[in-house]
PDB file of all heavy atoms in Angstrom:
ATOM      1  N   PRO A  48     120.536 120.489  85.294  1.00 91.00           N
ATOM      2  CA  PRO A  48     120.792 119.101  84.929  1.00 91.00           C
ATOM      3  C   PRO A  48     121.300 118.800  83.677  1.00 91.00           C
ATOM      4  O   PRO A  48     122.012 117.828  83.415  1.00 91.00           O
ATOM      5  CB  PRO A  48     119.502 118.438  85.272  1.00 91.00           C
ATOM      6  CG  PRO A  48     118.414 119.432  85.100  1.00 91.00           C
ATOM      7  CD  PRO A  48     119.050 120.700  85.654  1.00 91.00           C
ATOM      8  N   TYR A  49     120.914 119.590  82.739  1.00 92.00           N
ATOM      9  CA  TYR A  49     121.515 119.574  81.341  1.00 92.00           C
ATOM     10  C   TYR A  49     121.584 120.982  80.758  1.00 92.00           C
ATOM     11  O   TYR A  49     120.832 121.838  81.284  1.00 92.00           O
ATOM     12  CB  TYR A  49     120.629 118.566  80.522  1.00 92.00           C
ATOM     13  CG  TYR A  49     119.166 118.814  80.714  1.00 92.00           C
ATOM     14  CD1 TYR A  49     118.416 119.729  79.980  1.00 92.00           C
ATOM     15  CD2 TYR A  49     118.423 117.908  81.580  1.00 92.00           C
ATOM     16  CE1 TYR A  49     117.026 119.828  80.088  1.00 92.00           C
ATOM     17  CE2 TYR A  49     117.109 118.200  81.776  1.00 92.00           C
ATOM     18  CZ  TYR A  49     116.343 119.082  81.065  1.00 92.00           C
ATOM     19  OH  TYR A  49     115.007 119.213  81.225  1.00 92.00           O
ATOM     20  N   TYR A  63     116.581 128.585  90.712  1.00 93.00           N
ATOM     21  CA  TYR A  63     115.327 127.863  90.866  1.00 93.00           C
ATOM     22  C   TYR A  63     114.329 128.645  91.802  1.00 93.00           C
ATOM     23  O   TYR A  63     114.738 128.814  92.876  1.00 93.00           O
ATOM     24  CB  TYR A  63     115.545 126.440  91.231  1.00 93.00           C
ATOM     25  CG  TYR A  63     116.111 125.547  90.251  1.00 93.00           C
ATOM     26  CD1 TYR A  63     117.316 125.684  89.939  1.00 93.00           C
ATOM     27  CD2 TYR A  63     115.278 124.563  89.671  1.00 93.00           C
ATOM     28  CE1 TYR A  63     118.003 124.747  88.960  1.00 93.00           C
ATOM     29  CE2 TYR A  63     115.800 123.672  88.732  1.00 93.00           C
ATOM     30  CZ  TYR A  63     117.291 123.766  88.415  1.00 93.00           C
ATOM     31  OH  TYR A  63     117.625 122.948  87.464  1.00 93.00           O
ATOM     32  N   ARG A  90     113.324 128.505  81.826  1.00 90.00           N
ATOM     33  CA  ARG A  90     112.076 127.621  81.651  1.00 90.00           C
ATOM     34  C   ARG A  90     111.029 127.722  82.674  1.00 90.00           C
ATOM     35  O   ARG A  90     111.204 127.528  83.702  1.00 90.00           O
ATOM     36  CB  ARG A  90     112.680 126.211  81.835  1.00 90.00           C
ATOM     37  CG  ARG A  90     111.896 125.125  81.220  1.00 90.00           C
ATOM     38  CD  ARG A  90     112.673 123.789  81.136  1.00 90.00           C
ATOM     39  NE  ARG A  90     113.472 123.735  79.965  1.00 90.00           N
ATOM     40  CZ  ARG A  90     113.934 122.683  79.434  1.00 90.00           C
ATOM     41  NH1 ARG A  90     113.664 121.514  79.867  1.00 90.00           N
ATOM     42  NH2 ARG A  90     114.803 122.781  78.482  1.00 90.00           N
ATOM     43  N   PRO A  97     100.729 120.478  93.923  1.00 83.00           N
ATOM     44  CA  PRO A  97     100.764 119.103  94.321  1.00 83.00           C
ATOM     45  C   PRO A  97     100.076 118.814  95.629  1.00 83.00           C
ATOM     46  O   PRO A  97      99.546 117.778  95.830  1.00 83.00           O
ATOM     47  CB  PRO A  97     102.240 118.715  94.380  1.00 83.00           C
ATOM     48  CG  PRO A  97     102.884 119.956  94.448  1.00 83.00           C
ATOM     49  CD  PRO A  97     102.088 120.931  93.692  1.00 83.00           C
TER      50      PRO A  97
ATOM     51  N   GLN B  44     102.709 110.727  98.652  1.00 74.00           N
ATOM     52  CA  GLN B  44     102.394 111.681  97.523  1.00 74.00           C
ATOM     53  C   GLN B  44     103.667 111.974  96.814  1.00 74.00           C
ATOM     54  O   GLN B  44     104.723 112.183  97.441  1.00 74.00           O
ATOM     55  CB  GLN B  44     101.818 112.978  98.034  1.00 74.00           C
ATOM     56  CG  GLN B  44     101.107 113.738  96.937  1.00 74.00           C
ATOM     57  CD  GLN B  44     100.534 115.067  97.532  1.00 74.00           C
ATOM     58  OE1 GLN B  44     101.161 115.695  98.352  1.00 74.00           O
ATOM     59  NE2 GLN B  44      99.351 115.290  97.178  1.00 74.00           N
ATOM     60  N   GLN B  88     112.036 115.644  84.711  1.00 92.00           N
ATOM     61  CA  GLN B  88     113.107 115.756  83.734  1.00 92.00           C
ATOM     62  C   GLN B  88     112.724 116.943  82.722  1.00 92.00           C
ATOM     63  O   GLN B  88     113.742 117.635  82.401  1.00 92.00           O
ATOM     64  CB  GLN B  88     113.323 114.452  82.922  1.00 92.00           C
ATOM     65  CG  GLN B  88     113.974 113.411  83.849  1.00 92.00           C
ATOM     66  CD  GLN B  88     114.008 112.078  83.243  1.00 92.00           C
ATOM     67  OE1 GLN B  88     113.221 111.760  82.306  1.00 92.00           O
ATOM     68  NE2 GLN B  88     114.641 111.133  83.842  1.00 92.00           N
ATOM     69  N   ILE B  89     111.535 117.023  82.412  1.00 91.00           N
ATOM     70  CA  ILE B  89     111.226 117.987  81.454  1.00 91.00           C
ATOM     71  C   ILE B  89     111.187 119.408  82.077  1.00 91.00           C
ATOM     72  O   ILE B  89     111.723 120.395  81.394  1.00 91.00           O
ATOM     73  CB  ILE B  89     109.844 117.791  80.774  1.00 91.00           C
ATOM     74  CG1 ILE B  89     109.859 116.455  79.982  1.00 91.00           C
ATOM     75  CG2 ILE B  89     109.386 118.843  79.961  1.00 91.00           C
ATOM     76  CD1 ILE B  89     108.558 115.960  79.539  1.00 91.00           C
ATOM     77  N   GLY B  91     113.177 120.485  84.304  1.00 90.00           N
ATOM     78  CA  GLY B  91     114.588 120.929  84.506  1.00 90.00           C
ATOM     79  C   GLY B  91     114.875 120.681  86.049  1.00 90.00           C
ATOM     80  O   GLY B  91     115.865 121.440  86.589  1.00 90.00           O
TER      81      GLY B  91
END
Side-chain angles (χ1 to χ4, degrees):
Chain A
Y49 42 87
Y63 285 73
R90 198 163 282 201
Chain B
Q44 198 177 42
Q88 286 172 347
I89 293 171

